[in-house]
Amino acid sequence: MARIIVITSGKGGVGKTTTAAALAMGLAQRGKRTAVVDFDVGLRNLDLIMGCERRVVYDFVNVIKQEATLNQALIRDKRCDHLYILPASQTRDKDALAKEEVGRVLEELSDGFDFVVCDSPAGIEHGATMAMYYADDAIVVTNPEVSSVRDSDRMLGILSSKSRRAENGQEPIREHLLLTRYDPRRVDNGDMLSVEDVQEILSLTLLGVIPESKAVLSASNAGIPVILDRESDAGQAYFDTVSRYLGEDIPHRFLEAERKGFLSRLFKG
Amino acid sequence: MGLLDYFRSSQPKGSANVAKERLQILVAHDRAARDRPSYLPKLQQEIIDVIRKYVDVDMNAVSVNYEQEDAHEVLELNIVLPEAAQQRFAP
Ligand SMILES: Nc1ncnc2c1ncn2[C@@H]1O[C@H](COP(=O)(O)OP(=O)(O)OP(=O)(O)O)[C@@H](O)[C@H]1O
Ligand SMILES: [Mg+2]
C-alpha cells in the first residue's frame, strides 16, 4: 500500500509543481517506488518540469475513462528507475476527474508503489479537492506572503473536513508546512514574513524551507527536477526536505542571509 | 543617542509586522466562520417566525452570533423589539 501525498496550496504559482517533481525524484532516488500524478488537468506542467513532455502518449484522463491502462500511460523516468510520471491531459474538461474514478486509479497505483505524489492545481475547486481527497499526507506549499498564507489556512480547513479520512472519521491527514521562495535578506530587512511568523499563524510542523533561488528557473528550463542540482541551495533544501519527510531529524538550512556586504567582507576577509 | 539611532529604534522595521498582524486577524476570522455550524441561518429564520407570531419584527431585528471559546461554544441571540411592541406587552 502506497502512502498518498498531496502537494497543495490554494494560491497559484507558489511552487507546487516544482515541489512535486523534487519530492518524487528525491523519494525515488532513495529507492522508494514513486509515482507522481499531475492533477492540473487542462494545464499540464509536471511533464515539462520533469522533462518528459515528448514522451506523453496517454494521460490521467485516458486512464480515468479507461481508454488506456495505467501501464500504458505511466512514463518511466530516464534518470531514476523507481520513478514514474502520470501526466495530466491538456485539452479535456476539468470535471473529467470524477471522485470514484480517481479513487480507482489511486488504488491501482497504491498496489505497485510506495509513494504516490499528487500535484494539485491551484484554487479550491474540483481539481484541487480531488487531488487532496484520498491523501494520507498533505504538503502545504506556502510563500511568505499574505495571500499565500491565508489560502494555505483555507486549504487546511478543507483538508480537515472534505477529505476521505475526514469523511470516514479516520485518523486525519498528516499536514506539513513547506515554506518556499524564502528570502532571508528580505526577512532581515523586515520586508518579508519570517519562518516563525508563518509557523505561528498556521501552527503546522515545518517540513522545510526552500530559498528563493535562480536554480529553480534553470532547472525548469532544462526539464530537470531542481533536487538533482546538488550544487544549488534550492536543490539541497529539497534534499533535506525529503530526508525530513522520511523521518530524519536534520536542522533547517538557508535561513540566514549570506553576508556579502562590503563591510562584512572587510571585517571577515 | 544620535538622531539616526532614534529613527532606527522608534520606527517599526519594514512591512512584515503589519502583514503578520493583518494575517492573524484574517485567519482567526476565517477559522471562526469555518467552524460555525451550518444550521445557523435556519435557526435564525425559525426564531423570527416564532417572534412574528406575537410581534411585528423584520429579519434585521434578530441577530444570531456564534462564538467558539476555549472549551465551549456561545450562541448569542439578540432581538430588538420595536417601540410599539413594548407598549403592547405593557400591562
Ligand atoms: N524556490 C524558488 N525560487 C525561485 N523561483 C521559484 C521557486 N519555486 C518556484 N519558483 C518559480 O515560481 C513559478 C511557479 O512555480 P510552480 O509552477 O512550481 O508553482 P505552482 O504552485 O505549481 O503553480 P500553479 O499553481 O500554476 O500550478 C515558476 O516560474 C518557478 O520557477
Ligand atoms: Mg503547478
Side-chain angles (χ1 to χ4, degrees):
Chain A
M1 272 298 277
R3 230 178 140 77
I4 299 176
I5 310 168
V6 64
I7 314 296
T8 188
S9 71
K11 189 173 193 296
V14 296
K16 290 181 293 299
T17 302
T18 305
T19 299
L23 175 71
M25 178 60 84
L27 289 169
Q29 279 188 317
R30 298 184 199 197
K32 312 288 182 196
R33 293 167 303 161
T34 306
V36 56
V37 183
D38 191 349
F39 274 77
D40 207 346
V41 171
L43 288 176
R44 212 185 103 179
N45 281 324
L46 181 68
D47 50 332
L48 274 172
I49 300 299
M50 296 295 303
C52 64
E53 70 278 4
R54 295 180 58 184
R55 295 166 60 212
V56 175
V57 182
Y58 295 109
D59 57 52
F60 192 13
V61 175
N62 290 133
V63 180
I64 293 267
K65 297 201 164 159
Q66 301 191 306
E67 296 159 353
T69 65
L70 251 184
N71 281 338
Q72 286 175 307
L74 282 171
I75 302 170
R76 185 196 206 129
D77 190 271
K78 288 203 164 143
R79 296 153 295 210
C80 187
D81 281 349
H82 300 291
L83 180 58
Y84 288 80
I85 298 117
L86 183 57
S89 102
Q90 201 150 31
T91 51
R92 290 165 218 244
D93 65 307
K94 293 192 183 240
D95 294 329
L97 303 178
K99 194 189 271 179
E100 290 70 30
E101 304 309 309
V102 171
R104 177 179 60 78
V105 175
L106 288 180
E107 199 168 311
E108 205 182 326
L109 280 171
S110 280
D111 287 340
F113 290 95
D114 299 317
F115 291 100
V116 178
V117 178
C118 303
D119 181 21
S120 172
I124 50 175
E125 314 289 307
H126 185 72
T129 51
M130 277 306 101
M132 61 108 224
Y133 186 77
Y134 294 97
D136 301 306
D137 284 280
I139 296 183
V140 182
V141 180
T142 307
N143 291 168
E145 170 264 324
V146 274
S147 54
S148 173
V149 176
R150 186 198 192 179
D151 284 1
S152 292
D153 188 67
R154 283 188 180 157
M155 213 60 219
L156 292 173
I158 296 175
L159 287 167
S160 63
S161 63
K162 302 220 168 83
S163 62
R164 174 174 61 171
R165 281 173 173 271
E167 285 178 5
N168 295 349
Q170 291 167 294
E171 190 191 321
I173 295 176
R174 238 185 265 162
E175 301 158 341
H176 313 264
L177 172 64
L178 185 70
L179 199 57
T180 63
R181 310 203 68 162
Y182 194 69
D183 187 340
R185 224 171 15 130
R186 301 188 67 191
V187 173
D188 281 357
N189 291 339
D191 290 328
M192 186 180 265
L193 291 166
S194 67
V195 187
E196 294 79 19
D197 290 341
V198 178
Q199 245 191 306
E200 191 184 323
I201 293 162
L202 295 177
S203 34
L204 276 185
T205 56
L206 183 67
L207 185 63
V209 180
I210 313 297
E212 173 77 24
S213 166
K214 292 195 173 80
V216 173
L217 182 62
S218 318
S220 80
N221 284 340
I224 299 168
V226 70
I227 196 168
L228 294 178
D229 182 356
R230 294 299 301 277
E231 303 291 303
S232 71
D233 47 0
Q236 292 173 29
Y238 273 118
F239 188 87
D240 289 359
T241 299
V242 174
S243 305
R244 259 180 235 116
Y245 176 77
L246 292 173
E248 285 173 50
D249 183 17
I250 42 179
H252 295 276
R253 293 192 276 166
F254 313 109
L255 302 184
E256 305 297 330
E258 267 179 68
R259 302 257 169 248
K260 278 197 198 138
F262 167 69
L263 278 178
S264 54
R265 247 183 302 176
L266 198 70
F267 286 121
K268 273 189 186 159
Chain B
M1 191 165 79
L3 197 60
L4 209 66
D5 295 312
Y6 174 76
F7 277 111
R8 271 204 200 112
S9 59
S10 66
Q11 295 211 327
K13 206 174 141 206
S15 53
N17 48 5
V18 183
K20 185 179 177 188
E21 271 169 37
R22 290 176 60 216
L23 265 171
Q24 279 169 327
I25 295 167
L26 203 59
V27 163
H29 195 267
D30 284 348
R31 286 181 187 164
R34 200 188 290 160
D35 297 335
R36 212 168 281 157
S38 55
Y39 60 71
L40 280 192
K42 198 155 173 268
L43 176 74
Q44 179 162 13
Q45 186 56 53
E46 287 182 18
I47 288 171
I48 286 173
D49 290 345
V50 171
I51 293 173
R52 278 165 82 102
K53 285 190 190 166
Y54 306 94
V55 194
D56 189 22
V57 295
D58 63 11
M59 263 316 262
N60 300 326
V62 179
S63 67
V64 179
N65 229 324
Y66 179 87
E67 244 156 70
Q68 188 115 39
E69 285 171 13
D70 292 335
H72 58 283
E73 291 104 56
V74 179
L75 187 63
E76 183 188 281
L77 289 181
N78 201 356
I79 306 166
V80 182
L81 295 176
E83 294 278 322
Q86 281 169 0
Q87 279 167 17
R88 214 194 299 174
F89 281 127

